[in-house]
Amino acid sequence: MRAEMWRLYRHLIIGGVVIVACCYIVIEFTQARFSGSREEQLLCVDAEISSALLLSGIRQEIPESQFNWTVQPRESLNISAISALIQEKKWLKLPEDSYQIALGKSDEPVLVGRVDESDPLFQLEFLLSQLLLTDLISYSDKLVLLESFNCVDMEAVSYDVPGPLTGVATVHGAYTKHGFVWRDKNASQSLLVFVTEENDVSLSLVVVIVVGLGIAVMLILIWRELVSLDSKRKTFESITRQIARGRSGLPKGVPDSSGTLKELAYSFDSMSSHIQRLLKVQREMINAISHELRTPIARLRFGLEVMKDEVDDGVAKTIEALEGDVEELNTLVDEVLTYGKLEGGSLELNFKELSVSQLVDGILSHNHLLLQHLSVEVNISKEDIVLADEHHLSRALQNLILNAAKYASTAISVTFSYDDERWQLDIEDDGPGIAFEDRDKVFIPFQRLDNSRTRASGGYGLGLAIVQRIAFWHGGAVLIDASESGGAKFSFIWSRNQHKKTVA
């Protein structure tokens, strides 16, 4: 997984560098834009105050202004006309950072000014004092002019200032506003006159937006990598499950063919192949030994039969006991061979229609001596025709019934049920039952539980393993639950549609 982790770190590093670079570029761009916007605001204030001075006749020339006024009125105008001209002024930005302002009609402007300075030095206090401190116009006319300015605002304040026009700065949190406090001799209160603030997005907000977008992009890239890793993890889990179920060989199209995932998959596949070879060798060895044991067992049986006729009664009883041991050994060999065929799929299953009631009756009749001490309850409906391999289904049911008979105290029951998708046979006993944590162990070959179901009951630990394999080849399974009578309940379930016609 080193390549994937390095990819994540690389995205983090690249994302961090990109965020820092974007923040720097945006800050520089925003500062330049705000600086240009601020300069335009100050030029607008200069133009409005200068045009008011020229149009009202207070000044004939204004060298302190940044504008070169090329067209001027021949006579002064009244305050209402001046206010109308200022409000309808035409502002034009020319190439090379030069500006032009015109007041009046486009073909016959009353006043035209142009500024070509790239780094102007503003003298707004002087210009504003010329307008507000003059005695040529009244206090009310000055207010009318101030209200007509688009780039200047005013508000009433209660500041106590030493002069009629005093520069001040007001601080509101992180923001500072510069202006002038004007106290006219004919006014009852002071006015704060300041440059109008544009409703531009603040620099800090722009930086936050850029950082947020950068982090979002970085998170998206990391999320894609995490999704890719999760997809590879799911694929790897799927491959390991397939290997655990006995599949040999890797599936085609394993992702990340050059990374760790495929190496791990190949390692698991190699391990699985090795385990399968060992199991195959083990099965072949057990089958070979079982087959080889048949011949000496048959000789022993024949020899014991011959000896019974030539000895006295005392020795005959010993021979009969030996015959029982030989028969038990022969049964074990038969169980091992049967399980080996079911495990390896080397036998042939032929499915046909069967009557469950006839099958169960035959098993109970054949084993009546083993069941005579128990009460056997059979619950099978009239519609009991199923599709199964007769020999192996009979073998599975016999194993389940005899297993229940070993541990039952007084009774066992056999119940048949079905629905549209499956058939089910439940075999229950009233014995000690099986602990929940031990229920999977009973299907392991040669596995015996050292609890209430002890070795004293006999058997070889292969009966239920054979039942499970028969259920598998019938497209079903064997489930274990607790019986209502207190013992164990084995449910043999097989599909009505997914069985195999043949296993060979």
Side-chain angles (χ1 to χ4, degrees), residues 200-472:
D200 288 336
V201 179
S202 65
L203 179 61
S204 59
L205 181 58
V206 173
V207 173
V208 169
I209 293 174
V210 172
V211 172
L213 291 176
I215 293 175
V217 172
M218 186 169 61
L219 289 177
I220 290 173
L221 294 176
I222 295 174
W223 175 254
R224 287 185 58 190
E225 290 298 324
L226 292 176
V227 170
S228 176
L229 286 175
D230 187 63
S231 175
K232 293 174 182 177
R233 178 189 62 80
K234 291 180 179 178
T235 303
F236 183 70
E237 287 181 356
S238 176
I239 293 173
T240 54
R241 283 196 298 268
Q242 293 177 23
I243 293 174
R245 287 196 293 264
R247 174 173 180 168
S248 59
L250 288 176
K252 295 182 179 179
V254 177
D256 191 29
S257 58
S258 61
T260 311
L261 177 63
K262 198 164 187 177
E263 294 179 4
L264 285 173
Y266 274 122
S267 298
F268 271 88
D269 182 58
S270 177
M271 179 182 66
S272 173
S273 300
H274 182 64
I275 293 174
Q276 288 179 3
R277 286 194 298 270
L278 292 177
L279 291 175
K280 183 179 179 181
V281 171
Q282 183 187 44
R283 286 196 298 267
E284 290 177 351
M285 181 182 65
I286 293 175
N287 289 336
I289 293 173
S290 300
H291 279 291
E292 293 299 325
L293 285 175
R294 283 187 175 274
T295 300
I297 288 173
R299 291 174 181 170
L300 285 173
R301 293 173 66 180
F302 178 76
L304 290 173
E305 284 289 338
V306 173
M307 290 176 62
K308 284 172 61 177
D309 299 332
E310 300 177 357
V311 297
D312 55 25
D313 294 338
V315 178
K317 291 181 180 181
T318 303
I319 293 175
E320 288 178 359
L322 292 174
E323 285 181 332
D325 293 337
V326 171
E327 186 62 31
E328 186 176 347
L329 180 60
N330 185 64
T331 304
L332 173 60
V333 171
D334 181 63
E335 293 275 285
V336 171
L337 290 175
T338 301
Y339 181 77
K341 291 178 181 179
L342 287 169
E343 181 69 21
S346 60
L347 77 165
E348 185 174 335
L349 298 181
N350 296 312
F351 288 82
K352 64 180 181 179
E353 292 185 350
L354 304 172
S355 171
V356 175
S357 59
Q358 293 180 4
L359 200 64
V360 173
D361 289 342
I363 295 173
L364 297 178
S365 175
H366 182 71
N367 298 279
H368 70 280
L369 294 178
L370 298 174
L371 303 172
Q372 61 184 356
H373 65 289
L374 299 173
S375 173
V376 181
E377 180 183 358
V378 179
N379 300 307
I380 299 176
S381 62
K382 295 181 179 180
E383 298 180 6
D384 64 338
I385 303 301
V386 299
L387 194 65
D389 180 89
E390 181 176 9
H391 172 71
H392 290 92
L393 180 60
S394 176
R395 178 67 176 271
L397 294 181
Q398 178 172 282
N399 286 2
L400 290 175
I401 291 173
L402 294 181
N403 179 76
K406 291 178 184 178
Y407 306 107
S409 299
T410 59
I412 64 172
S413 66
V414 180
T415 305
F416 172 72
S417 60
Y418 62 92
D419 55 28
D420 294 337
E421 297 182 355
R422 62 183 185 177
W423 292 294
Q424 179 170 334
L425 274 163
D426 297 326
I427 293 87
E428 303 180 53
D429 64 70
D430 60 351
I434 302 176
F436 181 81
E437 62 272 13
D438 292 333
R439 290 177 182 176
D440 290 336
K441 298 179 182 178
V442 300
F443 297 110
I444 301 176
F446 304 106
Q447 179 73 30
R448 304 296 307 279
L449 301 182
D450 294 326
N451 51 19
S452 57
R453 295 187 175 236
T454 60
R455 296 181 183 273
S457 60
Y460 314 103
L462 279 174
L464 294 179
I466 291 174
V467 172
Q468 186 187 52
R469 298 309 299 172
I470 292 175
F472 171 78

Side-chain angles (χ1 to χ4, degrees), residues 22-37 200-207 210:
C22 290
C23 288
Y24 176 78
I25 293 172
V26 170
I27 290 173
E28 290 294 324
F29 173 78
T30 307
Q31 285 182 338
R33 183 173 178 272
F34 285 176
S35 176
S37 176
D200 288 336
V201 179
S202 65
L203 179 61
S204 59
L205 181 58
V206 173
V207 173
V210 172

